[in-house]
Amino acid sequence: MNHNISIIGAGFSGLSAACYLAKWGYNVTVYEKHDTVGGRARMYTENGFSFDMGPSWYWMPDVFERFFNDFGKKVSDYYELKRLSPGYRVYYQNSHIDVPSSLEELYHLFEKIEPGSSSKLKTFLDEAKYKYEVGIHNLVYKPGIKINELIDSKLIGGLFKLDVFKSMSQHVRSSFKNEQLIQLLEFPVLFLGALPQHTPALYSLMNYADLALGTWYPMGGMKKIIDGMHQLALELGVKFVNNANVTAINVTDKIAKSIKLAENKNGFSALISSADYHFTEQTLLPKDSRKYDDKYWESRKMAPSCLIYYVGVRGKIDQLLHHNLFFDEDFSQHAKDIYSSPKWPDKPLFYVCNPNKTDKHVAPENHENLFILIPVAPGLKDTEDIRNNYFDLVIKRIEAKTGSNIKENIVYRRSYAPSNFVEDYNSFKGNAYGLANTLMQTAHLKPSILNKKVKNLFYTGQLTVPGPGVPPSLISGKLAAEQVVNYLNKNN
């Protein structure tokens, strides 16, 4: 078997696709725009601080284990995992909750806050477990090409148990009354791209991933996952070309013949793009080879972008855990500022990751490493004044909640906003999390993994199946690789 396969982009989905294709005997070359692999999960080091640039939550450990198991490996062959306990802290206006790693402690916490809610939580999580097992172990491993993929005994038999036609908000509020508990259960869908009122209750599977399977951390940072996948790919014979900015896909008679780089062209039997789907279509492909037009893309509902700060602080901030959610302002108003009436929020919720609470190697001694993220609507224009104003706002609120003097002890600071997502990743509207997971953008209703106008071109990543997030990206790479094999087998 001498087929050469090219892949654009060395993020999670590109690395996943590369590993599977190499395992199956193909010659695989990955072309990466940056000088290192990882895509949005790159890491950079400055002044003794090591910052994960993108993903920071490690959920669904079974998906990572399944990926490495497919190659006769296990996660522990490549990095060390540590379960966080408590999983994270949630700051409210006048209080905070530490989310325990033990389910028994979690039931006790719910009961203390809302008497009678512990039994309801057990039922809620049992239902969420069913959705997780069907959704993550069945539905998301389907390529979303034909509607009949959904004609599955488990999916049909459990249609109503999956709560596809009920909203997340209805589902949560039918069992719980306390607003703090409601926000805790609705929080995982905040990044799925729609208000809880518009997100199918199917996604309570995220609560099972969060509260039952737990929050984990790969020692050394999320980049350790990328390093492990990269090492595996090299072991399998994958070739990598960094600093390789692809500027065009050359198509003849509905076949992609080569990709154009700065200085040359490279040919292949099949091509996978794990670059931004919209960019691949609207910029790299000639117009007559595009599956979707501008009108289609403008009609898509997007998940959020974000404004991020990477901050180094002298001294210790005792009142922060590894993961911290600041829900000390109106949850519903910020969600509306993202999804209903997109604008820069007046009183944003935000997230703070303080990884050296778990990993002393990511900051100098007696310093703190802070990753601060504000979810915002995609497509917003950002300026230096906007970045500075929001930085002052979040630092004041962190200081107020923790009782720490942070601002005068900052020794390093860098911001990253929607315009940086466009610059670095050609991200459509500067989005950070892909398409919204609404009912009308699920499974075969997402942008297709196939391009029927270019028979040997396939897509992977957060804008196609199964959707945004690190575990779905691993799965997306496998799905794209399988479609390449199907194509080559039919056309040999």
Side-chain angles (χ1 to χ4, degrees), residues 134 138-140 142-159 162 443-444:
V134 174
N138 190 308
L139 181 60
V140 298
K142 296 181 182 296
I145 296 170
K146 297 179 181 179
I147 185 67
N148 63 9
E149 293 172 19
L150 303 179
I151 302 175
D152 177 290
S153 59
K154 287 186 179 179
L155 295 177
I156 294 175
L159 187 62
L162 291 173
H444 67 287

Side-chain angles (χ1 to χ4, degrees), residues 403-434:
S404 299
N405 189 349
I406 297 173
K407 190 165 187 178
E408 70 180 32
N409 288 306
I410 292 173
V411 297
Y412 178 79
R413 166 186 162 189
R414 175 185 174 186
S415 62
Y416 201 92
S419 60
N420 298 108
F421 282 94
V422 175
E423 180 183 1
D424 282 352
Y425 311 119
N426 300 301
S427 174
F428 180 48
K429 295 186 176 180
N431 84 83
Y433 298 98

Side-chain angles (χ1 to χ4, degrees), residues 414-483:
R414 175 185 174 186
S415 62
Y416 201 92
S419 60
N420 298 108
F421 282 94
V422 175
E423 180 183 1
D424 282 352
Y425 311 119
N426 300 301
S427 174
F428 180 48
K429 295 186 176 180
N431 84 83
Y433 298 98
L435 288 177
N437 274 340
T438 61
L439 183 59
M440 297 308 294
Q441 292 183 162
T442 296
H444 67 287
L445 299 177
K446 290 184 182 291
S448 177
I449 201 169
L450 306 178
N451 183 342
K452 293 182 180 179
K453 292 184 177 181
V454 187
K455 298 176 182 178
N456 64 337
L457 170 62
F458 306 87
Y459 300 93
T460 188
Q462 62 181 14
L463 289 179
T464 185
V465 290
V470 177
S473 291
L474 299 185
I475 297 166
S476 184
K478 183 177 185 179
L479 295 174
E482 288 172 343
Q483 294 307 307

Side-chain angles (χ1 to χ4, degrees), residues 344-356:
W344 285 100
D346 293 325
K347 297 179 178 180
L349 282 63
F350 59 94
Y351 156 66
V352 180
C353 184
N354 187 192
N356 57 288

Side-chain angles (χ1 to χ4, degrees), residues 262-323:
E263 297 178 354
N264 59 6
K265 295 180 180 180
N266 290 299
F268 40 74
S269 299
L271 173 67
I272 295 177
S273 178
S274 70
D276 182 272
Y277 198 134
H278 173 267
F279 171 77
T280 303
E281 274 232 315
Q282 305 302 107
T283 301
L284 300 185
L285 282 176
K287 191 170 185 178
D288 61 359
S289 297
R290 299 169 189 168
K291 180 175 176 62
Y292 304 109
D293 58 17
D294 286 332
K295 184 178 179 181
Y296 171 87
W297 285 109
E298 289 301 324
S299 69
R300 297 306 88 190
K301 296 185 183 298
M302 305 304 297
S305 185
C306 50
L307 174 56
I308 301 171
Y309 302 98
Y310 311 102
V311 185
V313 181
R314 183 189 307 109
K316 293 296 180 179
I317 308 171
D318 294 331
Q319 296 304 310
L320 290 179
L321 300 184
H322 186 125
H323 295 299

Side-chain angles (χ1 to χ4, degrees), residues 83-202:
R83 185 165 184 175
L84 303 185
S85 181
Y88 52 94
R89 174 170 289 175
V90 186
Y91 279 102
Y92 299 102
Q93 192 166 19
N94 298 309
S95 63
H96 71 263
I97 289 176
D98 288 348
V99 179
S101 58
S102 159
L103 280 177
E104 287 305 316
E105 290 179 27
L106 184 69
Y107 297 142
H108 178 73
L109 173 66
F110 268 62
E111 190 68 24
K112 181 179 178 182
I113 295 172
E114 182 181 315
S117 66
S118 60
S119 61
K120 294 178 181 179
L121 179 61
K122 290 176 184 177
T123 300
F124 182 91
L125 289 178
D126 283 344
E127 294 171 352
K129 180 180 181 180
Y130 174 83
K131 295 171 189 175
Y132 185 88
E133 290 175 345
V134 174
I136 299 301
H137 298 152
N138 190 308
L139 181 60
V140 298
Y141 282 91
K142 296 181 182 296
I145 296 170
K146 297 179 181 179
I147 185 67
N148 63 9
E149 293 172 19
L150 303 179
I151 302 175
D152 177 290
S153 59
K154 287 186 179 179
L155 295 177
I156 294 175
L159 187 62
F160 292 102
K161 289 177 69 175
L162 291 173
D163 282 329
V164 174
F165 303 111
K166 180 192 292 186
S167 78
M168 187 69 185
S169 181
Q170 290 172 320
H171 184 52
V172 171
R173 291 171 187 273
S174 67
S175 297
F176 306 97
K177 306 304 177 187
N178 181 274
E179 281 298 321
Q180 291 186 353
L181 298 183
I182 288 170
Q183 289 181 18
L184 176 64
L185 293 172
E186 289 184 344
F187 128 73
V189 307
L190 184 65
F191 299 100
L192 292 177
L195 293 166
Q197 297 93 307
H198 301 148
T199 301
L202 165 67

Side-chain angles (χ1 to χ4, degrees), residues 217-263:
Y217 176 76
M219 296 301 289
M222 296 292 284
K223 179 62 162 49
K224 286 296 182 181
I225 313 167
I226 290 292
D227 291 344
M229 295 177 71
H230 184 214
Q231 182 181 335
L232 173 61
L234 292 173
E235 292 168 2
L236 293 165
V238 177
K239 297 177 182 177
F240 289 87
V241 182
N242 292 339
N243 297 306
N245 189 22
V246 178
T247 59
I249 299 171
N250 302 301
V251 179
T252 304
D253 296 330
K254 295 188 175 183
I255 298 293
K257 295 292 188 181
S258 63
I259 53 174
K260 184 178 180 183
L261 301 168
E263 297 178 354

